[in-house]
Amino acid sequence: MGLIDGFFGLLFGGGRNVLRDTVEVFRENAEAGSMRSAEVQMQAMRQHGAEFEVPRQGFFDRFMDGLNRLPRPALALGTLGLFVSAMVAPLWFAERMQGIALVPEPLWWLLGVIVSFYFGARHQVKAQQFQREIARTVTQAPQVMANIAALRKMRSDDVGVADTGGNAALTMAAIMPDANPALEEWRHPA
């Protein structure tokens, strides 16, 4: 018994755990790691809370705080508004999107730079590419104008939109009822 007690005393005795101490050289103690992580989190929360302990003195401070909170909700609500307008007034929406088609690609890049810079990224645009894209976009203007004219012809609120003109076959096709097998079956059940 004395040999076994001596061996276990060597490994676990004297207020130390030689086995645990040896393992902790190769692997972090999970409990101690959790305690350190919790302390780091608490320090971060204290520092974050300390930022808001400073009272805002004037109108300008409150205005700037409010202004800094606007871009994300404005982008999200604006995008949802575009979806709603596309469902409610598709022709109105299509006309606006044709106008957006005229925006040169470098300007989209510039918008992307501004937005991504606001959210923490950086972007750079070369001047030669900017000039090429402007020239390419200007050549698209006649097609966009033709598309807008075609969209305006599709409006259903104009007088005479259903006019068949001088086409007699189209006029007859518009006033003759179509065959409706379901209606005929309902009128004359078998």
Side-chain angles (χ1 to χ4, degrees):
M1 272 309 211
L3 184 63
I4 293 175
D5 285 339
F7 177 71
F8 281 121
L10 176 67
L11 285 178
F12 303 111
R16 295 181 56 228
N17 187 333
V18 176
L19 187 59
R20 184 188 70 213
D21 292 345
T22 304
V23 169
E24 285 180 358
V25 169
F26 300 104
R27 185 176 180 276
E28 177 189 29
N29 183 331
E31 184 178 356
S34 295
M35 290 172 59
R36 284 190 298 272
S37 177
E39 184 59 31
V40 166
Q41 186 72 22
M42 289 304 296
Q43 288 293 338
M45 294 300 285
R46 281 189 207 108
Q47 181 179 357
H48 182 69
E51 292 178 16
F52 294 99
E53 289 178 1
V54 177
R56 299 295 180 197
Q57 297 298 324
F59 170 76
F60 182 75
D61 288 335
R62 291 191 308 271
F63 175 74
M64 288 310 290
D65 282 344
L67 191 62
N68 284 333
R69 292 184 179 127
L70 281 180
R72 277 183 243 160
L75 287 170
L77 293 174
T79 303
L80 290 175
L82 287 174
F83 279 103
V84 169
S85 68
M87 290 185 288
V88 172
L91 292 177
W92 178 90
F93 179 78
E95 286 178 4
R96 277 29 183 207
M97 293 302 109
Q98 285 297 315
I100 287 179
L102 286 176
V103 175
E105 191 168 335
L107 199 55
W108 286 114
W109 294 346
L110 182 59
L111 177 65
V113 168
I114 291 168
V115 170
S116 63
F117 182 75
Y118 180 80
F119 292 108
R122 296 177 188 252
H123 192 70
Q124 181 179 2
V125 178
K126 295 180 181 178
Q128 291 175 346
Q129 293 172 340
F130 183 75
Q131 293 298 327
R132 274 196 303 260
E133 291 300 321
I134 287 177
R136 188 177 66 82
T137 301
V138 168
T139 62
Q140 292 177 343
Q143 179 62 41
V144 169
M145 295 305 292
N147 288 347
I148 290 174
L151 285 168
R152 288 187 175 157
K153 285 181 183 178
M154 287 189 235
R155 289 192 180 273
S156 63
D157 55 354
D158 290 342
V159 176
V161 72
D163 185 22
T164 59
N167 191 334
L170 191 55
T171 303
M172 290 305 294
I175 61 173
M176 294 298 294
D178 290 339
N180 188 336
L183 184 59
E184 291 302 320
E185 184 180 329
W186 178 73
R187 285 185 183 161
H188 308 290

